[in-house]
């Protein structure tokens, strides 16, 4: 849909809709959605060394250490499909990760095009997280009320079973929200300072939020996933 190579970051607390909108943006712009949480969950499932290192942090609702996470993103951004742009979903999440990302894109002679901060109120975040279900195979997110599958418990895309994420239990969610406030929320001011931040109201249905993001980017709205 767009000939432009978009390099975007999605920022926002757990459950705000980064994965949902990241998938739509990736489809609209023809670039990969790079979701660090998905990559970690796959590594845990496959019992790789990285997955083993990350598991205890994810289970506790804590951020995986920066060195592990930065190395993972460096490796992913070096792949051919990310050369024409990318949607970073869930990275950066700390000041050190943001600095590493700046250095990485500068080394390639590139720059980020924008950082989309999605905002919704706290009650809606909890509603979205507790009602979320995820395809165990392709990781497509669903919601029991607002994005239910055609067949209960079955992924529309690949037919895989829908499951609840282990870190969506109440105690872990509290930790994840706390980590976000302490370590990630301050990045919004950093990106505002360098002129990249676009704040988008994440309330409303998914099409409405997608249209707001496209407007914030100055891009035309096309068909979404
Ligand atoms: P990660 O997987 O990134 O989780 P998160 O940031 O907590 O975000 P979520 O995936 O929970 O939510 P989302 O914003 O994508 O919302 P979604 O679109 O699914 O990270 C998991 C863990 O990995 C971390 O805790 C950490 O341990 C580790 N990790 C990952 N990245 C890291 C990093 N950079 N550094 C260190 N550690 C890292 O939507 C939620 C629900 O709401 C869905 O059911 C959806 O259908 C529904 N929904 C979405 N939009 C709407 C809407 N407009 N209206 C109604 N419902 C909606």
């Amino acid at each position: 849909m767009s000939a432009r190579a978009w390099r975007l970051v999605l920022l926002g607390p757990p459950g705000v809709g980064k994965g949902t909108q990241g998938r739509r943006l990736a489809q609209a712009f023809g670039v990969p959605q790079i979701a660090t949480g998905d990559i970690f969950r796959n590594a845990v499932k496959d019992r790789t060394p990285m997955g083993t290192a990350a598991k205890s942090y994810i289970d506790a609702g804590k951020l995986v250490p920066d060195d592990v996470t930065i190395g993972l993103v460096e490796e992913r951004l070096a792949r051919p499909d990310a050369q024409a742009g990318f949607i970073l979903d869930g990275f950066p999440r700390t000041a050190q990760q943001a600095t590493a990302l700046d250095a990485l894109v500068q080394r390639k002679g590139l720059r980020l095009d924008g950082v989309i901060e999605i905002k919704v109120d706290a009650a809606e975040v909890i509603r979205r997280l507790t009602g979320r279900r995820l395809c165990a195979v392709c990781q497509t997110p669903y919601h029991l009320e607002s994005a239910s599958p055609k067949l209960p418990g079955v992924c529309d895309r690949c037919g895989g079973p829908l499951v609840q994420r282990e870190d969506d239990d109440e105690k872990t969610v509290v930790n994840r929200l706390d980590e976000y406030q302490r370590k990630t929320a301050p990045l919004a001011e950093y990106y505002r300072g360098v002129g990249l931040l676009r704040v988008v109201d994440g309330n409303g249905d998914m099409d409405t939020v997608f249209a707001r993001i496209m407007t914030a980017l100055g891009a035309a709205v096309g068909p979404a996933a």
Side-chain angles (χ1 to χ4, degrees):
M1 172 193 147
S2 168
R4 184 169 166 189
W6 287 92
R7 297 181 184 86
L8 299 173
V9 167
L10 294 178
L11 198 63
V16 80
K18 301 182 297 298
T20 301
Q21 298 301 332
R23 198 158 42 85
R24 290 169 175 232
L25 288 166
Q27 182 177 326
F29 294 147
V31 298
Q33 173 192 15
I34 299 176
T36 41
D38 288 350
I39 297 172
F40 282 136
R41 276 185 293 281
N42 280 329
V44 169
K45 199 169 66 182
D46 295 342
R47 299 174 188 234
T48 68
M50 183 179 75
T52 306
K55 187 175 185 323
S56 61
Y57 296 96
I58 296 172
D59 287 350
K62 301 287 181 192
L63 293 185
V64 177
D66 282 336
D67 55 344
V68 177
T69 309
I70 291 167
L72 153 78
V73 171
E74 280 182 348
E75 184 273 324
R76 181 63 187 85
L77 288 181
R79 289 200 215 156
D81 68 335
Q83 303 317 302
F86 49 78
I87 311 294
L88 278 173
D89 161 7
F91 183 93
R93 270 169 141 126
T94 66
Q96 197 180 334
Q97 292 179 18
T99 304
L101 179 61
D102 284 349
L104 193 64
V105 290
Q106 276 165 22
R107 276 206 300 277
K108 292 172 183 272
L110 304 170
R111 61 180 186 78
L112 293 176
D113 295 302
V115 175
I116 305 291
E117 183 188 20
I118 307 176
K119 285 197 160 179
V120 303
D121 57 47
E124 176 64 6
V125 161
I126 299 295
R127 192 195 72 82
R128 289 186 186 181
L129 284 173
T130 49
R132 172 165 58 188
R133 296 295 181 270
L134 202 70
C135 174
V137 178
C138 71
Q139 314 238 7
T140 300
Y142 293 85
H143 192 276
L144 292 177
E145 293 161 5
S146 42
S148 54
K150 292 189 185 89
L151 275 179
V154 179
C155 178
D156 292 344
R157 290 187 165 225
C158 75
L162 303 191
V163 295
Q164 186 164 27
R165 258 171 57 174
E166 284 183 19
D167 62 347
D168 277 350
D169 71 283
E170 200 178 323
K171 183 166 169 279
T172 313
V173 163
V174 168
N175 289 342
R176 287 163 61 202
L177 291 169
D178 180 60
E179 286 279 89
Y180 181 81
Q181 285 308 329
R182 289 190 303 113
K183 297 177 181 170
T184 310
L187 295 186
E189 282 317 305
Y190 169 69
Y191 285 120
R192 191 191 305 281
V194 294
L196 286 174
L197 190 73
R198 310 274 182 276
V199 180
V200 170
D201 177 3
N203 293 292
D205 65 45
M206 297 169 196
D207 291 344
T208 302
V209 177
F210 181 68
R212 286 187 195 125
I213 293 174
M214 295 300 261
T215 301
L217 293 172
V221 179

